[in-house]
């Protein structure tokens, strides 16, 4: 009885609040690798231990089988790509880590199936997570700014801010003096991203604000454009090296390459030296074995800094297609569901779509398809869209 009681307590507490832990993973990232690994590992084991507590078939909506099928197909193709890998052991480790992170989306769906009315709690948790992240980052900022060897690209952590901001704005919209609170939040996020000199993050922030304003709140286009110009101006003014590498401007490859800090070079090298197997690529995590593609001058980067190029080069046309089909299927599902949603759930969907748009936009110039942004947070946002109740009406 004692062990059974402990097991039931573990299961019940996971569905009560443990499933909300991913909302605070970005904060754990800010606190350090140890904090993130500890929290994410604890969550993963806790979720696995709670699998047998799934609700019965008649107690709520069942998980989307088509999503699970597409997800499994994608992973199978990626695993098959390891047959082409120079270092299959590294690729296997990267794939297992991806599975661990991406299962967060399925675990979240599992929890929302257990209690479908809990979706607003996840929105509140993400809003609190976003607020704590920007507060902690702001408190850390003076220490970095006065440091003699201040290096914003290495020390400032702006990658998660663009996709988190819509959830904070969603929570602030309904509060008194919402306009001032929204303006303060947007300003704080913009200033930090600008100081980090992360152009990919700034672009993601602009797209997220645009999607959030137009899609969910029908804000006039001139207001959206004015806000975008203001955010861009702050990025240019505070990011002293925003146009780094541009001594002259022209409509040519050289200008594009300088503006992208050499990314255009590695993209062109990848196109000129494609994988021997066009269907399966070089294997998950194995682009690092092709240093001739990743070389920018005398330096060598770790990946292609574009999730499309990375997915294509490592998993081939089949792997990239499966990944894009999965993303497209979730967005298409949301589009079909959109007319059935009431105002509240439509705004939840808008925040998730804005976050996804931010990740996809920044991923075109920054992180890889196996990064935490894609492997973990993208699937968390997928779970929000897949958990929207189909019975709601406007």
């Amino acid at each position: 009885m004692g062990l059974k009681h402990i097991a039931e307590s573990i299961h019940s507490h996971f569905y009560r609040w443990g499933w909300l832990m991913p909302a605070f993973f970005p904060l754990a990232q800010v606190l350090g690798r140890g904090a993130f690994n500890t929290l994410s590992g604890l969550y993963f084991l806790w979720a696995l231990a709670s699998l047998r507590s799934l609700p019965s078939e008649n107690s709520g909506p069942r998980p989307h089988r088509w999503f699970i099928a597409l997800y499994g197909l994608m992973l199978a193709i990626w695993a098959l790509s390891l047959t082409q890998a120079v270092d299959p052991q590294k690729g296997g480790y990267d794939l297992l880590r991806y599975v661990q992170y991406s299962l967060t989306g399925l675990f979240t769906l599992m929890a929302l199936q257990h209690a479908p009315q809990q979706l607003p709690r996840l929105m509140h948790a993400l809003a609190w997570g976003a607020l704590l992240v920007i507060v902690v980052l702001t408190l850390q900022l003076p220490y970095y700014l006065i440091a003699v060897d201040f290096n914003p690209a290495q020390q400032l952590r702006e990658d998660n801010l663009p996709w988190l901001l819509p959830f904070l704005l969603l929570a602030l919209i309904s509060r008194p003096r919402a306009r001032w609170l929204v303006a303060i939040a947007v300003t704080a996020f913009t200033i930090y991203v600008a100081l980090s000199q992360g152009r990919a993050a700034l672009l993601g922030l602009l797209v997220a604000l645009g999607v959030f304003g137009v899609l969910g709140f029908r804000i006039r286009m001139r207001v959206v454009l004015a806000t975008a110009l203001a955010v861009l101006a702050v990025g240019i003014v505070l990011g002293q090296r925003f146009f780094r590498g541009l001594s002259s401007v022209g409509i040519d490859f050289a200008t594009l390459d300088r503006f992208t800090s050499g990314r255009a070079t590695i993209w062109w090298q990848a196109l000129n030296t494609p994988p021997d197997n066009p269907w399966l690529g070089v294997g998950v995590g194995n682009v690092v074995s092709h240093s001739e593609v990743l070389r920018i001058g005398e330096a060598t980067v770790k990946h292609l800094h574009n999730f499309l190029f990375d997915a294509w080069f490592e998993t081939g046309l089949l792997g990239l297609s499966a990944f894009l089909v999965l993303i497209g299927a979730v967005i298409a599902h949301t589009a079909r569901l959109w007319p059935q949603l009431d105002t509240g759930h439509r705004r939840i969907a808008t925040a998730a779509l804005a976050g996804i748009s931010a990740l996809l936009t920044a991923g075109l110039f920054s992180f890889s398809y196996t990064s935490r942004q894609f492997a973990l947070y993208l699937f968390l946002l997928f779970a929000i869209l897949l958990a929207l109740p189909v019975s709601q009406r406007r």
Side-chain angles (χ1 to χ4, degrees), residues 23 26-27 126-127 129-130 133 160-169 189 355 358:
L27 176 63
L126 285 167
V133 166
N160 290 323
L161 294 182
W163 74 266
L164 281 172
L165 179 57
F167 295 99
L168 180 57
L169 297 183
F189 276 64

Side-chain angles (χ1 to χ4, degrees), residues 162-164 166 200-201 203-205 207-208 211 353-363 367:
W163 74 266
L164 281 172
L203 185 58
L205 190 67
V207 172
V211 172
L353 288 171
I356 290 173
S357 300
L359 289 173
L360 295 179
T361 301
F367 32 77

Side-chain angles (χ1 to χ4, degrees), residues 40 44 51 54 71 95 105 122 133 153 158 186 220 239 264 339 349 351 354 358 362 373 386 394:
S40 62
F44 181 70
L51 283 176
L54 282 170
Y71 173 69
L95 185 58
L122 179 57
V133 166
E158 79 286 356
V186 172
R220 294 180 179 180
Q373 280 72 24
L386 295 175
R394 292 187 65 190

Side-chain angles (χ1 to χ4, degrees), residues 234-288:
V234 172
I236 294 174
V237 172
L238 295 183
Q240 299 177 2
R241 297 174 63 244
F242 187 84
F243 290 112
R244 54 190 180 275
L246 284 184
S247 57
S248 61
V249 178
I251 306 177
D252 54 16
F253 179 82
T255 299
L256 175 63
D257 189 51
R258 290 194 297 269
F259 185 70
T260 59
S261 301
R263 286 169 173 77
T265 292
I266 57 177
W267 300 339
W268 182 251
Q269 290 169 174
L271 291 172
N272 281 333
T273 314
D276 292 335
N277 188 319
W279 300 108
L280 294 176
V282 301
V284 174
N286 272 253
V287 69
V288 294

Side-chain angles (χ1 to χ4, degrees), residues 14 17-29 36 39-44 46-47 100-109 111 121-130 133 160 163-164 167 372 375-381 383-384:
F14 177 80
W17 60 268
W19 69 282
L20 297 171
M21 289 172 63
F24 301 96
F25 284 173
L27 176 63
Q29 278 189 253
F36 175 83
L39 188 64
S40 62
L42 174 63
Y43 167 81
F44 181 70
W46 196 356
Q100 176 191 342
Y101 289 163
S102 58
L103 281 176
T104 297
L106 295 181
F107 292 149
T108 303
L109 271 177
R121 286 190 64 205
L122 179 57
M123 298 302 100
H124 293 150
L126 285 167
W128 275 109
V133 166
N160 290 323
W163 74 266
L164 281 172
F167 295 99
R372 291 169 184 166
L376 200 163
Y377 303 124
L378 181 64
F379 279 84
L380 177 62
L381 299 181
I384 294 172

Side-chain angles (χ1 to χ4, degrees), residues 132-167:
L132 291 174
V133 166
I134 193 61
V135 167
V136 172
L137 289 176
T138 302
L139 292 176
Q140 292 177 343
L141 195 55
Y143 170 79
Y144 291 126
L145 290 176
I146 63 176
V148 177
D149 55 347
F150 175 57
N151 186 339
Q154 297 293 330
Q155 296 169 331
L156 301 190
R157 303 180 180 183
E158 79 286 356
D159 286 340
N160 290 323
L161 294 182
W163 74 266
L164 281 172
L165 179 57
F167 295 99

Side-chain angles (χ1 to χ4, degrees), residues 144-330:
Y144 291 126
L145 290 176
I146 63 176
V148 177
D149 55 347
F150 175 57
N151 186 339
Q154 297 293 330
Q155 296 169 331
L156 301 190
R157 303 180 180 183
E158 79 286 356
D159 286 340
N160 290 323
L161 294 182
W163 74 266
L164 281 172
L165 179 57
F167 295 99
L168 180 57
L169 297 183
L170 182 64
L172 297 177
I173 288 294
S174 61
R175 295 186 174 276
R177 301 179 181 178
R179 290 186 178 181
W180 289 104
L181 293 175
V182 167
I184 292 172
V186 172
T187 301
F189 276 64
T190 301
I191 289 176
Y192 189 92
V193 170
L195 289 174
S196 73
Q197 300 180 10
R199 291 179 295 194
L202 185 63
L203 185 58
L205 190 67
L206 288 171
V207 172
L209 288 173
V211 172
F212 185 82
V214 173
L215 195 58
F217 295 88
R218 298 179 181 177
I219 298 176
R220 294 180 179 180
M221 186 57 65
R222 65 170 179 265
V223 176
V224 173
L225 291 176
T227 302
L229 290 175
V231 170
L232 185 60
V234 172
I236 294 174
V237 172
L238 295 183
Q240 299 177 2
R241 297 174 63 244
F242 187 84
F243 290 112
R244 54 190 180 275
L246 284 184
S247 57
S248 61
V249 178
I251 306 177
D252 54 16
F253 179 82
T255 299
L256 175 63
D257 189 51
R258 290 194 297 269
F259 185 70
T260 59
S261 301
R263 286 169 173 77
T265 292
I266 57 177
W267 300 339
W268 182 251
Q269 290 169 174
L271 291 172
N272 281 333
T273 314
D276 292 335
N277 188 319
W279 300 108
L280 294 176
V282 301
V284 174
N286 272 253
V287 69
V288 294
S289 301
H290 298 261
S291 58
E292 71 281 0
V293 174
L294 301 175
R295 189 171 294 112
I296 304 176
E298 297 182 356
T300 301
V301 294
K302 295 181 179 180
H303 57 88
L304 292 168
H305 288 274
N306 180 293
F307 78 95
L308 296 175
F309 275 100
D310 276 314
W312 160 67
F313 202 88
E314 291 192 342
T315 66
L317 294 174
L318 291 178
L320 174 60
S321 298
F323 186 40
L324 293 179
V325 167
L326 181 66
I327 296 174
V330 174

